[in-house]
Amino acid sequence: APAGKIVGGRYEILRVLGQGAFGRTFLARDTGNDRQVAIKLLDARDATTWKAREMFEREADVLRSLRHHGIPEVFDLVHEEWNGSPGMMLVMEYIEGVSVAHMIEERRALDPADVVHWFLELLGILEHLHGRVPPILHRDIKPSNIIIRPDGIPALVDFGSVRRVYMGPDEMGSTVAGTFGYMPYEQYMGRATPASDLYALGATFLHLLTGRA
């Protein structure tokens, strides 16, 4: 276990928060100001492909450009060896709270007013993303990527599939990203639009309200 390891000269890893397709996310303590942060690691052994590195750097780039209470803030991008291989680490705000996926698993009784509040807050986050020029698409909205903070304000996390809707002259197609059951048909064809994120948000809240995926 990497607990106690210091990365970037100041971030002390506390524990693993999650495991994704291209790496892991850790809870860490920033020894410089004693606050908790989340560190997303792109492990070179897990992801030697340029596509994984490109998506990771794109995520860092997009998150750095955003300022919204519903989106984790990026503090640092660290390039450092990890287990003998080159690693990249995204240091960001740790969003404390309960995921919508956890609420579904627990079959938690919910106040409809709370659910409507969360939904409207998330529409506000999407409006912020889609209102950028060019628009920013999340492309992987699902129950596990929405965290309800202790104060009841939701946050949208895991921007690993994020994409700016702009294609350069050298980009003919698009990678398919997303999660089965929450992404709409056009996204399977690599043609995501702002409406695709709205569809995924609707599917997520339908799952929360009915308990059925």
Side-chain angles (χ1 to χ4, degrees), residues 21-99:
F22 295 127
R24 279 166 289 174
T25 305
F26 300 103
L27 178 65
R29 183 175 72 90
D30 183 344
T31 59
N33 54 23
D34 204 32
R35 73 176 161 197
Q36 289 192 330
V37 294
I39 297 185
K40 190 168 181 177
L41 166 75
L42 179 74
D43 193 334
R45 292 178 313 159
D46 297 339
T48 50
T49 65
W50 65 268
K51 179 52 86 180
R53 293 184 77 87
E54 181 197 50
M55 285 186 84
F56 195 83
E57 286 180 331
R58 183 189 288 162
E59 178 181 4
D61 181 47
V62 168
L63 284 172
R64 273 180 161 164
S65 76
L66 297 171
R67 281 290 175 275
H68 191 283
H69 67 270
I71 297 165
E73 186 181 345
V74 164
F75 303 129
D76 203 357
L77 183 61
V78 174
H79 292 260
E80 193 170 296
E81 194 173 276
W82 182 271
N83 292 343
S85 304
M88 285 167 66
M89 287 163 246
L90 192 57
V91 182
M92 55 187 146
E93 178 189 357
Y94 170 56
I95 307 282
E96 205 173 345
V98 179
S99 74

Side-chain angles (χ1 to χ4, degrees), residues 128-137 163-167:
H128 183 74
L129 293 172
H130 298 163
R132 310 283 295 198
V133 181
I136 292 167
L137 306 185
R163 179 181 173 82
R164 288 180 186 272
V165 189
Y166 168 78
M167 295 173 96

Side-chain angles (χ1 to χ4, degrees), residues 88-146:
M88 285 167 66
M89 287 163 246
L90 192 57
V91 182
M92 55 187 146
E93 178 189 357
Y94 170 56
I95 307 282
E96 205 173 345
V98 179
S99 74
V100 167
H102 188 69
M103 290 179 172
I104 292 168
E105 279 167 31
E106 287 197 327
R107 293 192 160 89
R108 197 174 284 197
L110 300 169
D111 181 338
D114 286 340
V115 177
V116 170
H117 168 67
W118 300 335
F119 189 71
L120 292 175
E121 283 283 333
L122 281 150
L123 287 178
I125 296 171
L126 288 187
E127 189 173 33
H128 183 74
L129 293 172
H130 298 163
R132 310 283 295 198
V133 181
I136 292 167
L137 306 185
H138 186 281
R139 295 203 303 167
D140 198 18
I141 294 172
K142 59 186 175 183
S144 59
N145 284 344
I146 296 171

Side-chain angles (χ1 to χ4, degrees), residues 138-172:
H138 186 281
R139 295 203 303 167
D140 198 18
I141 294 172
K142 59 186 175 183
S144 59
N145 284 344
I146 296 171
I147 307 289
I148 309 299
R149 302 176 194 256
D151 64 3
I153 303 281
L156 186 57
V157 300
D158 197 355
F159 281 71
S161 300
V162 78
R163 179 181 173 82
R164 288 180 186 272
V165 189
Y166 168 78
M167 295 173 96
D170 56 336
E171 280 188 282
M172 290 306 292

